Structure formats: structure tokens, C-alpha cells
Amino acid sequence: MRRETRYAKSDGLSIAWQVSGHGPIDLVFVMGWVSNIDMFWREPHFARFLDRLASFSRLIVFDKRGTGLSDRPAQPPTMEERMDDVRAVMDAAGSERAALFGVSEGGPLCALFAATYPERTVKLVIDSGYARSMWAPDYPWGKSEEMRDRYFAYMEEHWGSDVMIHRRAASLANDPAFREWWSDYLRMSASPGAAVAFSRMNWQIDIRHILPAIRVPTLVIHRTGDPAIRVESGRYLAEHIAGARYVELPGNDHLPFTG
């Protein structure tokens, strides 16, 4: 069932958001990469996952600027600008404080929000997230420049098809209905140019310096065989966020609603 879509204002842009559930805690779900909140509910696994979250919370979902139902800015947004979309949506939803649940690139985004606005963050959950994207001598499980360049070239050529499905949802990669939904979801979430631009920004992410500033209860979840973000990334987050609880799950799916 499609939820009512509303719009919050952030830097003059309209940010699409929806709310489900009536639980005692507000929970802001931040999807990674690109998104389309209407398409969330058209995939049974995704809809069931969100319904379970909404069973104990007031669940708030939204499309970051440049994706899905939200406005397109003239330039690719920075992490700080996308983080401000979280604040704007919380304000529009009447949420003073919320738990934040970030997936993949949404993980460092939520971590940055928690460090910047601790008074508005009840808890932090990072699923399949990372502190840095690229390889570094002290971050050897990051991605190489060669891998980055191949990734961009592949997306520019194949956007509109089931791009990266085996690296995002291995357990459903051979399911025809899921493949069709994934292709539609990506196409309705961003244009080819926007998808590459967001990916370029995501590959530049490095929030290692802000991890010690996070002082809210934190849960880090990662699958051992995640092919998109290596499990060492989750372990690093848990080791560098004070008091974080770390849960490592079996499996080789990246998306939290598959596998």
C-alpha cells in the first residue's frame, strides 16, 4: 500500500518523505546510494522489512535531494547538505529526537548527523556501512582507483538494467520479479548522470575523524560475505565508536531486506 508523500524544505529544495506506524520511538530510515520511497513499497521483501520497523516505531523514510521524488539540485550535494535533509524531514514530521538507521552510504550520513546533532539522536544503527570508501594504507579493505573507474564505466553503459544486483542482493539475483523491480527502482531513483555523480561523491566519503565524537548508543550490523562493502568496514566502525555494539551476520547480501 502506497503511503502519503509529503515534502519538507531544505535549502529551498523539496525533500519527499513518508511516515508509517505509531510506535513510541521515531525511527528515521536512510537508504544508501539512490532511492525512491514509492518504489520501496512495491517490492514485497522491502515492504515487509519496513512494516516490521513500523510495528514498534513511527517510521520516517525519505528521498535525499537529487533522488527519487525529491528535487534535483544544480550541483551534486555534499554530505553535509544531505545530512541537513535528515534534519529538515525530522522538523517537518514533528520529530524532536529520533533513532537513525542508515544503510550503506546512509550509514556514514547518519553517523555524521549523530556527531553533529547528538541532542536530536536517540540511537544510531549502521547496517552494511563504512567510514571510508577508498583504499588507504591504514584502511586496506577500501576500494582501489581501478575498481572505482571500472564501476563508473559500467554504470554509465548499463544504467536502466539490473545494475549491480549480484553485489546488492545475491539471494534474489535470479528471481525475475526482483530483477525487474530492481531495474525499475534504479531507473526511477536517478538518471544515469545523477547515479554516477552520487557514486563519485560516495567514493570520496571519509568520516573516520568524526567517529570519536559519536556519543549515542550505537549498533553496527554487517554480513560476513557482503560483496559491496567488506565486513572489515563494519568492524572498523564498531571499534572506533565508543561503546558500539557489533553484530555480524552470515550471508552475502548487501541490502538489509534480502537474504
Side-chain angles (χ1 to χ4, degrees):
M1 180 180 68
R2 181 182 295 181
R3 273 62 176 176
E4 179 184 2
T5 299
R6 303 174 186 177
Y7 290 90
K9 283 295 183 182
S10 180
D11 295 332
L13 298 175
S14 295
I15 308 300
W17 62 279
Q18 299 172 353
V19 64
S20 303
H22 304 280
I25 186 173
D26 287 349
L27 176 59
V28 180
F29 177 76
V30 184
M31 189 63 174
W33 197 20
V34 297
S35 69
N36 183 303
I37 53 178
D38 275 354
M39 292 295 293
F40 285 2
W41 305 100
R42 299 184 188 181
E43 206 298 304
H45 298 83
F46 205 165
R48 185 161 54 248
F49 171 77
L50 295 176
D51 281 338
R52 289 189 66 184
L53 295 180
S55 70
F56 62 83
S57 73
R58 189 171 76 114
L59 177 66
I60 301 167
V61 300
F62 71 102
D63 287 329
K64 289 163 287 189
R65 62 182 68 193
T67 68
L69 308 180
S70 294
D71 279 346
R72 272 56 175 165
Q75 300 293 331
T78 64
M79 277 278 287
E80 288 74 16
E81 288 171 331
R82 292 185 124 189
M83 178 191 70
D84 201 54
D85 294 344
V86 178
R87 179 204 54 77
V89 166
M90 286 178 62
D91 288 347
S95 177
E96 293 291 332
R97 303 179 72 230
L100 303 182
F101 185 161
V103 176
S104 195
E105 169 262 339
L109 188 69
C110 289
L112 182 61
F113 186 94
T116 307
Y117 299 106
E119 73 282 359
R120 302 200 65 175
T121 309
V122 178
K123 300 176 188 295
L124 172 64
V125 181
I126 301 175
D127 189 307
S128 306
Y130 54 93
R132 177 184 169 91
S133 183
M134 295 291 289
W135 179 93
D138 56 348
Y139 203 83
W141 47 85
K143 301 179 179 71
S144 67
E145 293 183 3
E146 180 184 3
M147 184 184 299
R148 175 196 63 193
D149 294 342
R150 288 201 312 267
Y151 178 82
F152 293 155
Y154 178 84
M155 282 209 306
E156 288 175 343
E157 182 177 354
H158 296 285
W159 192 257
S161 65
D162 51 10
V163 172
M164 302 292 173
I165 191 170
H166 288 89
R167 295 180 63 82
R168 298 298 188 272
S171 66
L172 291 175
N174 296 318
D175 182 315
F178 187 84
R179 294 181 74 101
E180 181 178 0
W181 172 83
W182 181 247
S183 299
D184 291 346
Y185 171 77
L186 294 181
R187 192 174 57 254
M188 294 183 181
S189 295
S191 66
V196 172
F198 292 137
S199 295
R200 289 186 185 278
M201 183 196 74
N202 292 345
W203 282 62
Q204 296 171 1
I205 288 175
D206 187 348
I207 62 159
R208 291 177 296 173
H209 61 290
I210 69 102
L211 298 181
I214 298 173
R215 289 290 183 265
V216 302
T218 300
L219 170 65
V220 179
I221 307 169
H222 217 103
R223 286 191 172 109
T224 55
D226 186 338
I229 306 295
R230 284 176 52 177
V231 69
E232 290 89 349
S233 297
R235 294 170 184 167
Y236 182 95
L237 286 168
E239 290 169 1
H240 290 81
I241 298 175
R245 179 187 177 201
Y246 181 59
V247 176
E248 199 165 286
L249 302 175
N252 58 351
D253 283 64
H254 177 66
L255 297 174
F257 55 90
T258 66

